[in-house]
Amino acid sequence: MRINIFTKLLITYLLIILLTLFVVGIFLTQLLQNYFYHLRQRELMVKGQEIADILSAQLLGLQDPRVTNDLLAILDQFLDARIQAVDKTVLVLATVPGFEEMSLPFSAEELEQLLLGEAVAKRNYHAQTGEQLVSVAVPIVLPHEVAGAVFLNAPLRGIAQTLSQVQRLIIYAAMLASALAMLAGLYLSKTISLPLQQMNLAALEVAKGNYRQQVKVTSRDEVGQLAQTFNHMALKLRQTIEALSQEKAKLENIMLCMHEGVIAIDKKGRILLANAQAQKLLHLQKKELTGEKLTNLPVDKEIENLFLAVIGQGKALTEEFATTGDRILSVQVSPLRRRRQIWGAVGILQDVTELHQMEQMRRDFVANVSHELRTPMTSIQGFVEAILDGVVTDEKSRNRYLQIILAETVRLNRLVNDLLDLSYLETGKLTWQLEPIKLPPLLTQVADKLQPQLQQQSLVLQMQVPDNLPLVLGNYDRIEQVLVNLLSNAIAFTPSGGQITLSAKDIGKQVCISVTDTGPGIPEAEQHLVWQRFHKVDKARTRNLGGTGLGLPIVKQIVEAHGGTVGLKSVLGQGSTFYFTLQKVKAKTERC
Ligand code: ADP
């Protein structure tokens, strides 16, 4: 059972009051009894002395015995005590009616004291009634001896009544004090218990996370100070929690926005922190990872081992892992230290697939460029050496050799120009003047330009270009370059007698221009690769045709720089269609 402060205070008060009154009662009773006893004793002593004087006067013959008897009778009446006179030889000198059977209530020593002339007094109890008695003995002193003694025995009457009155008074005082104690308890409960209860409720609310709790300060005493301190504490707690929440939110935001995955574990391998990116990179479906053991999650065993190795060795380690979907994950793990003790590890996870691809592309590019340059240069070197060495003697052969050298030089030149173009296009260094272009004349012009090659290959070029084609926005020379590239490819790859179709059509916001041929077509698996640098579908054949593998990447770059897209549809053995789109010029609203 829980006893509240009010009950405790009340019980304590009542106990103190009742105990005090009880002790006071006992002392008071004792005090009163002693007081009454001494009063009666003194009175009896005086009276005893008077009687002793009367008796000694009679013994000396100075007084008539009848007078003595009368005096004794009167004294007996007023004294309310039993009087007994005893002579020295322990014989009764005078017998007062009613005192015959009374024995002497003093001890031998006290009687001896009496015989020496000293009065003695004693407190006695009645054998039957238990009533308190005061016994006094006064010696009857003659000039040279003690002739006897006068004994006075009196009950302490009236004391019981006084004592019961005092006790009643004490009971009334106890009742009044109890009532006052209850009132005081109520007051204290109001001033102490109630504010404490309120503080208790407020503290419980704070524990639940409601930090805006404040209690009323109703006094300036300790309880009031406690209330003030509580309010201050709640305020500080709120400020601290808010600051911590803000810091946490900031950290979470940073973690969330980070491109890298972050995962921290403690010494036992339990996850302390894992951002969304880490979850994504590790392909973990579970939403909340905090508290989970890394070993219980479907994480690559090698990644787990890396974390454990860092905790074990106490030094940072970095490794790369191949994960699902041909992705490469770089994991850098560092130990977490507190007072030189390692208590966990934090890992930064990075998807470095693109980086690796870029690196690979760079290596491929260097290899491709070297390869593309080496072939014509070796060829030129060989033929020049042959001429210089005098291996070629006749004019016809020398001319043929020089022709080859020229062709290779042209090829080299084209290759370098293409590379430069591509480099400029890729870095965005080229800025063009965009202008409205009428496509039909441009397409006709390109077709005319390539007429000699078409004839040489016995190819038919069909034009499907409507005259009312809307204007497109572009750079005239660059669009021409795109068309020449695509048509040149079509001419180069289409066997004699084949057909090439150059068409253009309005497709809403854009115009689509396509070059279709009846060439060998491109396998489906390679269709997306033809837009990459140096990619050649049939390497031997392309080489014979003098291709560099840079034409289509240049086309793609130019078209995309114009805000358009490129595409390819091809069926192996039937032919290919390369197409690209260009933005139409937005029609201006004419005003009168
Ligand atoms: P190249 O200078 O070698 O033609 P491109 O980038 O223009 O370089 O073309 C890349 C490769 O795409 C070519 O080597 C060729 O294998 C293939 N290709 C391009 N156009 C056609 C086409 N019309 N028909 C078949 N294959 C083609």
Side-chain angles (χ1 to χ4, degrees):
M1 192 181 74
R2 251 182 31 200
I3 302 175
N4 60 21
I5 287 192
F6 171 61
T7 321
K8 275 185 191 167
L9 280 173
L10 198 66
I11 290 173
T12 317
Y13 279 175
L14 286 178
L15 273 176
I16 292 171
I17 289 166
L18 294 178
L19 208 73
T20 313
L21 285 175
F22 178 71
V23 173
V24 166
I26 286 180
F27 273 104
L28 213 62
T29 311
Q30 208 63 40
L31 206 76
L32 279 172
Q33 275 181 350
N34 287 342
Y35 173 73
F36 273 105
Y37 168 74
H38 287 298
L39 204 71
R40 193 80 174 119
Q41 183 195 336
R42 221 174 311 139
E43 185 193 6
L44 289 181
M45 279 284 193
V46 172
K47 295 298 171 197
Q49 195 57 57
E50 278 178 25
I51 295 169
D53 290 346
I54 293 169
L55 288 175
S56 74
Q58 194 197 320
L59 282 176
L60 291 169
L62 301 173
Q63 197 169 271
D64 189 342
R66 277 175 302 178
V67 177
T68 308
N69 281 342
D70 287 347
L71 281 170
L72 288 174
I74 293 162
L75 275 170
D76 187 42
Q77 257 178 22
F78 284 100
L79 210 53
D80 187 22
R82 287 178 186 180
I83 307 165
Q84 195 180 12
V86 179
D87 77 350
K88 197 179 178 182
T89 55
V90 197
L91 289 172
V92 178
L93 287 178
T95 308
V96 182
F99 283 85
E100 295 89 30
E101 323 84 22
M102 197 146 179
S103 56
L104 299 177
F106 291 97
S107 63
E109 291 87 49
E110 285 165 335
L111 288 174
E112 272 172 29
Q113 222 178 322
L114 196 64
L115 283 168
L116 290 170
E118 278 178 43
V120 287
K122 191 172 188 179
R123 191 184 287 198
N124 273 320
Y125 293 92
H126 197 280
Q128 279 87 44
T129 59
E131 194 182 16
Q132 282 198 65
L133 299 169
V134 185
S135 303
V136 169
V138 183
I140 305 165
V141 186
L142 295 181
H144 302 294
E145 57 171 338
V146 173
V150 176
F151 289 83
L152 285 111
N153 250 337
L156 270 176
R157 252 188 229 120
I159 188 164
Q161 218 177 345
T162 316
L163 283 179
S164 81
Q165 269 176 4
V166 168
Q167 277 163 2
R168 219 171 304 138
L169 254 174
I170 288 173
I171 288 169
Y172 290 151
M175 279 161 71
L176 186 72
S178 303
L180 286 173
M182 279 178 111
L183 284 176
L186 265 174
Y187 172 74
L188 282 176
S189 116
K190 222 174 149 63
T191 53
I192 298 175
S193 184
L194 219 67
L196 285 179
Q197 275 173 16
Q198 282 173 353
M199 269 184 263
N200 185 34
L201 288 176
L204 285 172
E205 282 297 308
V206 170
K208 280 185 209 157
N210 186 1
Y211 302 107
R212 297 198 171 270
Q213 288 300 311
Q214 291 282 295
V215 288
K216 235 163 101 185
V217 181
T218 48
S219 60
R220 290 166 140 223
D221 57 10
E222 288 89 335
V223 178
Q225 281 172 14
L226 183 64
Q228 257 176 353
T229 312
F230 176 86
N231 288 343
H232 183 66
M233 182 200 74
L235 188 78
K236 280 274 159 212
L237 203 66
R238 196 176 85 212
Q239 286 170 350
T240 313
I241 296 283
E242 274 174 7
L244 280 175
S245 307
Q246 271 176 12
E247 282 303 309
K248 195 171 168 241
K250 243 193 265 173
L251 196 74
E252 275 173 1
N253 241 332
I254 293 169
M255 289 287 180
L256 205 72
C257 300
M258 268 177 84
H259 191 250
E260 287 84 11
V262 179
I263 191 160
I265 62 164
D266 65 8
K267 221 174 168 183
K268 288 180 181 163
R270 275 191 307 252
I271 294 178
L272 302 169
L273 179 147
N275 67 352
Q277 190 61 14
Q279 263 172 285
K280 202 172 136 195
L281 290 172
L282 293 172
H283 304 283
L284 297 171
Q285 306 296 329
K286 218 169 170 189
K287 278 255 159 81
E288 188 51 62
L289 293 177
T290 313
E292 289 282 335
K293 272 202 139 191
L294 195 62
T295 41
N296 294 343
L297 295 169
V299 174
D300 196 335
K301 205 89 214 123
E302 288 177 33
I303 298 179
E304 272 173 39
N305 290 342
L306 181 67
F307 272 88
L308 297 179
V310 168
I311 291 175
Q313 296 169 20
K315 62 174 185 188
L317 295 172
T318 305
E319 263 181 53
E320 285 185 356
F321 304 95
T323 62
T324 36
D326 285 338
R327 310 297 297 176
I328 301 162
L329 203 63
S330 160
V331 185
Q332 304 165 34
V333 187
S334 303
L336 290 169
R337 285 196 172 87
R338 194 187 291 136
R339 285 191 219 104
R340 294 191 183 174
Q341 289 284 314
I342 294 166
W343 62 274
V346 61
I348 306 287
L349 287 75
Q350 250 177 314
D351 187 340
V352 289
T353 319
E354 260 90 54
L355 214 71
H356 271 245
Q357 280 172 354
M358 293 280 283
E359 185 58 27
Q360 191 56 41
M361 270 168 70
R362 195 187 60 76
R363 267 190 245 120
D364 288 352
F365 178 75
V366 173
N368 282 328
V369 171
S370 316
H371 178 77
E372 290 298 328
L373 290 174
R374 197 181 56 196
T375 323
M377 281 165 86
T378 318
S379 166
I380 291 168
Q381 189 187 352
F383 286 112
V384 170
E385 276 172 1
I387 293 168
L388 288 175
D389 289 350
V391 179
V392 202
T393 46
D394 61 314
E395 188 76 11
K396 205 175 149 203
S397 296
R398 195 167 47 240
N399 276 346
R400 196 163 60 83
Y401 276 30
L402 286 171
Q403 282 298 331
I404 294 169
I405 291 168
L406 180 67
E408 291 295 355
T409 319
V410 169
R411 203 163 106 83
L412 267 177
N413 201 23
R414 198 167 65 236
L415 184 71
V416 172
N417 281 338
D418 279 0
L419 274 172
L420 274 174
D421 261 13
L422 199 59
S423 159
Y424 279 133
L425 283 167
E426 279 178 349
T427 51
K429 277 185 184 164
L430 285 181
T431 45
W432 309 312
Q433 200 64 38
L434 293 182
E435 52 190 326
I437 301 170
K438 269 188 187 166
L439 277 175
L442 172 60
L443 296 174
T444 314
Q445 186 191 319
V446 176
D448 289 346
K449 225 183 205 175
L450 294 169
Q451 210 53 45
Q453 285 98 311
L454 284 162
Q455 277 174 3
Q456 200 182 349
Q457 291 275 107
S458 315
L459 297 170
V460 180
L461 176 72
Q462 221 188 356
M463 299 277 286
Q464 289 179 353
V465 184
D467 286 337
N468 59 349
L469 212 57
L471 294 176
V472 290
L473 200 64
N475 181 276
Y476 195 89
D477 293 339
R478 290 292 169 183
I479 301 300
E480 188 186 5
Q481 189 183 356
V482 169
L483 287 166
V484 169
N485 268 357
L486 292 179
L487 273 171
S488 301
N489 274 352
I491 295 166
F493 290 99
T494 310
S496 300
Q499 186 183 307
I500 295 168
T501 312
L502 178 60
S503 58
K505 65 175 172 189
D506 185 349
I507 54 162
K509 283 185 180 172
Q510 292 176 315
V511 171
C512 181
I513 302 126
S514 57
V515 178
T516 308
D517 62 51
T518 51
I522 298 167
E524 209 180 323
E526 293 203 51
Q527 284 178 14
H528 69 283
L529 298 171
V530 295
W531 304 103
Q532 288 181 6
R533 289 177 298 185
F534 298 112
H535 189 83
K536 294 167 193 169
V537 179
D538 183 346
K539 291 187 177 59
R541 193 183 142 90
T542 312
R543 205 184 130 60
N544 290 338
L545 295 169
T548 58
L550 294 172
L552 289 177
I554 290 174
V555 165
K556 188 170 182 270
Q557 285 292 335
I558 294 174
V559 171
E560 283 177 358
H562 277 82
T565 50
V566 292
L568 163 64
K569 283 179 202 153
S570 181
V571 180
L572 204 61
Q574 287 185 19
S576 315
T577 299
F578 285 87
Y579 62 87
F580 65 97
T581 60
L582 287 173
Q583 304 285 340
K584 283 199 295 197
V585 176
K586 279 181 198 148
K588 279 187 192 153
T589 29
E590 296 278 328
R591 286 208 182 156
C592 302

